[in-house]
Structures are given as structure tokens and as C-alpha cells.
């Protein structure tokens, strides 16, 4: 298996496979036994390595560490200027050498920090053998020009510079950035891509091209006594490794399978130990920066207090035992330790995203060690956070749209409104207009949940499966439930088109699905 990034796209879904061949009874027991042994040998040869086998050489239980920061002075300045070099690399994953792709030499890309009202200048240098680009997921900036335009393409050996003007009123919270390569080569601008041309997002994100992006410091939105608490960024990513330490890729002979055994990592570390003092409250910034799989987070014996979702401060603080993070999802949560020294486990619990999708096992992610002298327990946070967006429930709806999500019987081709993605046209003939609010009914006709992500802005979920949702927050990624007994799962959202004309992209954020068709865009006009 080559560790090159990119290449011919392989199958993304698990396929039923038969080994050996039918043998007539007259051939005898010896022939049957020989065939069975041969089939088992072939099965063993193609069996993906177990999680335990992939973890060999990794060190579990090392101290928790923050991801590297792209620019150590960025948090205090008015602008950020950084260079990211996308390249194939051999890097360290919790003590094991791993072949993948990186921006600055590590599996978890450096955290970019920027303040509202500043400008991010990012120079992307492509040292990969395939085309690439960048998407600044959740950032509310222009989708045109050298800004957050996923249609930009950087060919191998070339570079481009992104200039992102972050509005002064931009929400403070947790975002992320990653490759959004919509093919392995850059298309001819005069010739739109044909429907079904596969993207390369899954390959590149899975290989390592993703990291966190923080706007401001949302601790400043908390009550005064909590504004100096410790904050941690937890970037959740997974790897699937072969015996030589190469991250799985889609090539002519191999493929990524989101149902295969995987190693779950926190900031590129295997089950690190995060320390807290008794009664201490910390802010955790949780980011699912992986390509395909879901996390269902649970901290044994504790609850999460949600103060931000998808980079947006909440209009009503809530608490939860578990948090579901499909690919691309982020939460900012407060966690308060036990009053006495102890150890507890942060885990992703067993979860299935539908009968046509994947089932994930309960997996330990990190240990929280409560140790040392107790600290003064801080009060709970309730109500709305400052700068939370307004409720759209009473807003006039300028247009209603329907978004139908379907896939082929073999689970290898994906559609929105019956069409596979092409950069030449939207699934909607009518554009949206700035200054209006639209309501979209998203219907999932498949047997697996699809996390739908909208670029450029966040939206409000109005109802799920027909049940009205009280307004607590906006978000930019929502899992749409799978169909049951032929009845599609349904989620209704409202989108405010406040500013920025251009092509606003939306897609399933399971990277294999967007690569294979479940993606489109909406033209937004003045």
C-alpha cells in the first residue's frame, strides 16, 4: 500500500465479500477442509489490523498537551500571518512513527488563534502530489475571492494566499480548518466538473490535514469569576494504520473503511492524562476534526455544561450527560471536577448512526486525574451568554426549500435532490437574497444519519422528526436522522442570509459522502 496522499478513489462502504468457491459434496471432506483453510488464510491476509495491533508502539497515559499554536503572538495582535505547507510526512503519533500528511510536521495541525475584527493571512504551499486547498469551517467570512472559497484549487508545487477579514462582531468560540479538495487535480475554469467526479477530502483530512481555529476567547463571555479558568482544546482525530504505520488511503487497491478498527486520539495522543484540582472548573473546547466517524462523548460521573456550539455562544446554557459530535462538530463546555481526589474517564460511548451506517464501540479517550489541594468551587452558569444570536422563530420566511438526501443501494454514490455534486450548477434554480430568512426541510431517505454542514453562517434548528425545538443556540452542522420503515428522517432549519454574496456550500460532513456526491451550493445575491 502506498502512503501517497490521493489517488484513485476506492469503495467507501463495507461490502459483503465471499471467499473460496462452491464445492460439490462429491469432492469429499478433504477438499472442503482445504478450501476452508485457504479461505481463512485469505481472510486473515486481508483482515484490517485490530485497534490493539495499531496501537503497538504508542505510549498511552502521557500528560495531556495542547496542540501547537500557529503563531504564539496571534492572540494578542490584530492580525495573523502564517504559512502552512501541505506535505507528505513521517510524524510521531503518541510515540509511533506514522506516514501521513501534515501542515507543519504533526498529525494535529497547529491551532490558529485570531481576534474578532482582525485579518488572517494564510499562505498555503502545496507540496503534495495532488491538488489541495483550505476551508475555514464555521468562520463567518466571505465565500468569494481569496477568502473562504472552497472552489479555490492549489495544484501540486503551487501556492496561494487566503485573506480572511474577520468581522468585529464575529462570534467568539471554537472553529476548525481542513483541506476541502474537490478533486485530485485542479479543474479547467472554463469546463465545470462532471457530476460524480470524486473529491479528495476524505483522503487528505484522514491523513492529517486538519486543526482547530479559535476566534477570541469565549471565557470573556462568562461571569467574572470564571473568566480566568483554565481552558483546554481537545482535537479528536482517528487513525487506521497498516503494519508499516501508514494511514489508510483511497487508492486503486486500498480504501478507507469507516467501520474498520480505528485508534482514537486526543491532540494526537493515546489516552492522555488531563489533570484537574478538586472542585476546579475548566473550559473544554471539543473539536471532531476527523474525516468520517462520530464521537458520543461522556465523562464518567460528570455532566457537560454547554456554553457554545459550533463556535456560537448559546442563548440558553444547558447540561448534558453525553454530547454527539459527528464529523465537523464542536462544543465549548464547562467541566467541574469531583470535590475529592479521584480518576475518571473521558470516553466515546457505543453508538450506531443507522443500519446502513457504522457501529462504533465504547472507547476510552483520556483519563481525568483529580489531584492536589481543592480550589474554591465556582457558581454554575445559567441563562444566555452575551452576543448569542437572536431567535429566528418569529422572523418572516422569504422562501422555503426542500433538501432530499439519498444514496445508491450499494452505499457508494450520494445525492442531494437527485443530483451528484458538480461545481457548474446548484441543485436550486432560485438564489437566496441577502437580508432574508429561509426555511429548509432536510429529508434523509437513507438508512444512516447524515451530518449536514452549511458554509459561511450558522443556522437554527426549528424541528427534528416533526418535534419543535426550543431555541437554545445556532449551529453549522446537524445530523439528520435516518429513514425508518420507508419514512425519511426530517430536520427543519432556518438560515439568515445577513451578508456576503456568493456561492454558499452545503454538504454531508462525512467526507466520503461529500466526495461522492452529497454536496451542492446555493447562490446568494444582493
Amino acid at each position: 500500500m502506498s502512503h501517497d496522499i490521493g489517488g484513485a478513489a476506492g469503495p467507501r462502504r463495507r461490502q459483503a465479500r465471499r471467499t473460496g468457491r462452491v464445492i460439490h459434496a462429491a469432492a469429499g471432506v478433504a477438499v472442503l477442509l482445504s478450501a476452508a483453510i485457504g479461505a481463512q488464510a485469505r481472510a486473515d491476509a486481508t483482515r484490517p489490523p485490530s485497534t490493539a495491533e495499531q496501537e503497538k508502539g504508542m505510549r498511552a497515559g502521557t500528560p495531556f498537551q495542547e496542540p501547537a499554536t500557529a503563531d504564539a503572538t496571534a492572540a494578542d495582535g490584530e492580525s495573523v500571518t502564517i504559512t502552512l505547507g501541505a506535505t507528505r510526512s513521517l510524524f510521531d503519533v503518541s510515540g509511533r512513527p506514522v506516514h501521513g500528511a501534515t501542515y507543519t510536521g504533526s498529525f494535529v495541525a497547529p491551532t490558529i488563534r485570531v481576534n474578532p475584527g482582525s485579518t488572517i493571512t494564510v499562505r498555503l504551499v502545496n507540496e503534495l502530489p495532488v491538488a489541495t486547498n483550505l476551508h475555514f469551517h464555521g468562520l463567518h467570512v466571505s465565500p468569494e475571492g481569496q477568502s473562504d472559497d472552497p472552489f479555490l484549487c492549489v495544484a501540486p508545487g503551487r501556492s496561494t494566499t487566503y485573506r480572511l477579514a474577520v468581522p468585529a462582531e464575529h462570534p467568539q468560540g471554537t472553529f476548525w480548518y481542513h483541506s476541502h479538495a474537490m478533486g485530485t487535480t485542479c479543474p479547467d475554469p472554463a469546463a465545470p466538473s462532471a457530476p460524480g467526479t470524486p473529491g479528495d477530502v476524505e483522503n487528505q483530512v484522514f491523513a492529517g490535514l486538519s486543526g482547530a481555529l479559535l476566534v477570541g476567547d469565549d471565557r470573556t463571555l462568562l461571569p467574572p469569576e470564571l473568566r480566568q479558568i483554565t481552558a483546554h482544546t481537545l482535537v479528536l482525530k482517528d487513525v487506521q494504520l497498516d503494519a508499516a504505520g501508514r494511514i489508510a488511503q483511497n487508492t486503486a487497491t486500498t480504501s478507507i473503511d469507516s467501520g474498520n478498527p480505528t485508534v482514537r486520539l486526543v491532540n494526537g495522543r493515546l489516552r492522555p492524562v488531563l489533570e484537574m484540582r478538586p472542585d476546579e472548573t475548566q473550559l473544554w473546547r471539543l473539536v471532531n476534526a476527523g474525516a468520517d466517524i462520530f464521537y458520543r462523548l461522556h465523562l464518567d460521573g460528570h455532566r457537560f455544561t454547554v456554553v457554545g456550539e459550533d463556535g456560537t455562544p448559546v442563548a440558553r446554557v444547558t447540561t448534558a450527560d453525553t454530547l454527539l459530535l459527528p464529523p465537523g462538530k464542536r462544543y465549548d463546555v464547562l467541566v467541574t471536577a469531583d470535590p475529592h481526589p479521584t480518576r475518571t474517564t473521558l470516553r466515546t460511548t457505543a453508538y450506531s448512526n443507522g443500519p446502513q451506517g457504522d457501529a462504533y464501540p465504547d472507547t476510552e479517550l483520556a483519563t481525568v486525574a483529580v489531584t492536589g489541594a481543592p480550589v474554591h468551587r465556582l457558581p454554575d452558569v445559567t441563562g444566555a451568554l452575551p452576543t448569542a444570536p437572536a431567535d429566528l422563530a418569529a422572523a418572516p420566511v422569504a422562501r422555503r426549500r426542500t433538501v432530499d438526501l439519498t444514496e445508491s443501494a450499494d452505499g457508494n454514490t450520494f445525492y442531494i435532490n437527485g443530483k451528484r455534486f458538480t461545481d457548474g450548477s446548484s441543485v436550486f434554480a432560485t438564489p437566496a437574497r441577502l437580508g432574508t430568512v429561509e426555511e429548509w426541510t432536510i429529508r434523509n431517505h437513507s438508512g444512516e444519519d447524515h451530518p449536514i454542514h452549511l458554509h459561511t453562517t450558522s443556522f437554527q434548528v426549528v424541528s427534528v422528526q416533526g418535534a419543535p425545538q426550543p431555541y437554545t443556540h445556532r449551529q453549522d452542522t446537524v445530523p439528520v436522522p435516518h429513514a425508518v420503515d420507508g419514512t425519511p428522517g426530517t430536520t427543519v432549519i432556518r438560515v439568515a442570509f445577513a451578508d456576503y454574496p456568493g456561492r454558499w456550500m452545503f454538504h454531508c460532513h462525512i467526507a466520503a459522502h461529500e466526495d461522492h456526491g452529497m454536496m451542492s451550493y446555493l447562490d446568494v445575491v444582493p
Side-chain angles (χ1 to χ4, degrees):
M1 173 181 169
S2 169
H3 64 263
D4 286 357
I5 306 306
R12 264 54 169 188
R13 308 302 309 162
R14 295 190 301 278
Q15 302 293 321
R17 291 184 174 90
R18 297 180 184 271
T19 58
R21 54 192 175 89
V22 176
I23 299 177
H24 295 291
V29 175
V31 176
L32 286 170
L33 182 59
S34 176
I37 293 172
Q40 184 61 51
R42 288 190 295 273
D44 289 343
T46 59
R47 177 185 62 83
S50 68
T51 296
E53 289 169 333
Q54 295 177 63
E55 289 179 356
K56 287 182 178 178
M58 296 185 186
R59 294 189 299 272
T62 58
F64 174 88
Q65 285 190 358
E66 298 287 327
T69 302
D71 186 334
T73 65
D76 298 323
E78 294 183 353
S79 64
V80 182
T81 301
I82 61 174
T83 297
L84 299 176
T87 183
R88 295 178 298 177
S89 181
L90 177 67
F91 44 74
D92 178 276
V93 173
S94 212
R96 179 176 180 178
V98 167
H99 295 273
T102 179
Y103 288 120
T104 56
S106 62
F107 177 58
V108 177
T111 299
I112 296 175
R113 304 181 68 98
V114 62
N115 287 326
S118 62
T119 299
I120 310 175
T121 301
V122 180
R123 181 171 178 259
L124 175 64
V125 181
N126 185 9
E127 300 171 8
L128 301 172
V130 292
T132 191
N133 66 0
L134 284 172
H135 168 47
F136 302 90
H137 183 122
L139 213 59
H140 185 58
V141 295
S142 174
E144 291 190 319
Q146 291 296 127
S147 187
D148 188 26
D149 182 358
F151 293 93
L152 292 175
C153 184
V154 186
R158 306 297 293 272
S159 66
T160 196
T161 299
Y162 294 84
R163 293 181 179 86
L164 309 171
V166 181
E169 67 278 9
H170 196 286
Q172 297 186 73
T174 302
F175 303 84
W176 68 300
Y177 66 100
H178 58 88
S179 166
H180 206 292
M182 293 190 286
T184 56
T185 60
C186 292
D188 181 350
S193 64
T197 302
D200 207 41
V201 178
E202 184 184 33
N203 266 345
Q204 297 188 24
V205 172
F206 200 63
L209 296 181
S210 65
L213 191 159
L214 306 180
V215 176
D217 183 348
D218 52 354
R219 288 177 297 181
T220 63
L221 308 177
L222 300 174
E225 56 267 39
L226 282 87
R227 292 176 185 169
Q228 300 300 319
I229 60 175
T230 295
H232 290 305
T233 301
L234 285 73
V235 177
L236 309 175
K237 297 176 73 170
D238 60 291
V239 290
Q240 294 177 12
L241 302 175
D242 67 8
R246 294 175 294 220
I247 295 176
Q249 292 284 274
N250 297 307
T251 70
T253 58
T254 63
S255 64
I256 300 168
D257 187 335
S258 54
N260 278 347
T262 185
V263 180
R264 307 252 192 163
L265 301 164
V266 178
N267 295 347
R269 291 180 170 249
L270 182 64
R271 297 187 288 279
V273 178
L274 187 154
E275 292 190 351
M276 298 182 71
R277 302 271 294 277
D279 274 335
E280 180 186 9
T281 297
Q282 294 184 354
L283 176 70
W284 290 2
R285 295 166 172 144
L286 307 169
V287 185
N288 183 351
D292 298 306
I293 70 176
F294 289 61
Y295 287 76
R296 189 171 183 265
L297 295 183
H298 176 74
L299 181 61
D300 293 350
H302 295 74
R303 291 177 66 82
F304 301 109
T305 299
V306 180
V307 295
E309 183 169 345
D310 289 347
T312 304
V314 299
R316 181 167 66 85
V317 172
T318 58
T319 61
D321 290 319
T322 60
L323 295 172
L324 182 64
L325 279 75
K329 193 71 178 176
R330 293 93 61 215
Y331 282 99
D332 286 23
V333 300
L334 298 175
V335 175
T336 300
D338 284 326
H340 307 290
T342 186
R343 294 172 77 88
T344 190
T345 300
L346 176 68
R347 66 179 69 249
T348 179
T349 61
Y351 179 74
S352 169
N353 65 335
Q356 199 173 341
D358 294 315
Y360 308 113
D362 187 292
T363 304
E364 295 182 4
L365 299 177
T367 295
V368 177
V370 181
T371 183
V375 299
H376 173 67
R377 191 178 183 93
L378 297 173
D380 295 334
V381 179
T382 59
L385 264 65
T387 72
D391 188 354
L392 296 175
V397 175
R399 185 176 298 276
R400 288 178 167 83
R401 302 181 191 266
T402 299
V403 178
D404 283 309
L405 310 175
T406 56
E407 56 186 271
S408 60
D410 64 4
N412 286 321
T413 308
F414 303 85
Y415 308 88
I416 294 179
N417 291 358
K419 298 179 180 179
R420 300 169 74 180
F421 173 72
T422 171
D423 57 15
S425 65
S426 166
V427 296
F428 296 124
T430 306
R433 296 195 175 275
L434 293 179
T436 68
V437 173
E438 294 191 353
E439 184 172 283
W440 295 9
T441 298
I442 309 173
R443 302 187 301 196
N444 183 0
H445 300 262
S446 76
E448 60 183 319
D449 301 347
H450 288 294
I452 293 299
H453 167 54
L454 174 66
H455 289 209
T456 310
T457 195
S458 56
F459 51 79
Q460 180 175 328
V461 174
V462 176
S463 67
V464 177
Q465 301 290 67
Q469 301 295 297
Y471 176 57
T472 60
H473 61 278
R474 292 194 197 174
Q475 57 200 89
D476 60 48
T477 304
V478 63
V480 181
H482 60 271
V484 177
D485 296 330
T487 301
T490 304
T491 298
V492 178
I493 67 173
R494 287 193 175 183
V495 186
F497 297 95
D499 44 27
Y500 300 129
R503 292 182 289 186
W504 293 31
M505 182 162 279
F506 60 97
H507 57 83
C508 176
H509 219 293
I510 296 174
H513 297 183
E514 64 174 288
D515 277 346
H516 282 255
M518 193 171 280
M519 179 163 63
S520 190
Y521 61 88
L522 176 64
D523 288 305
V524 178
V525 300

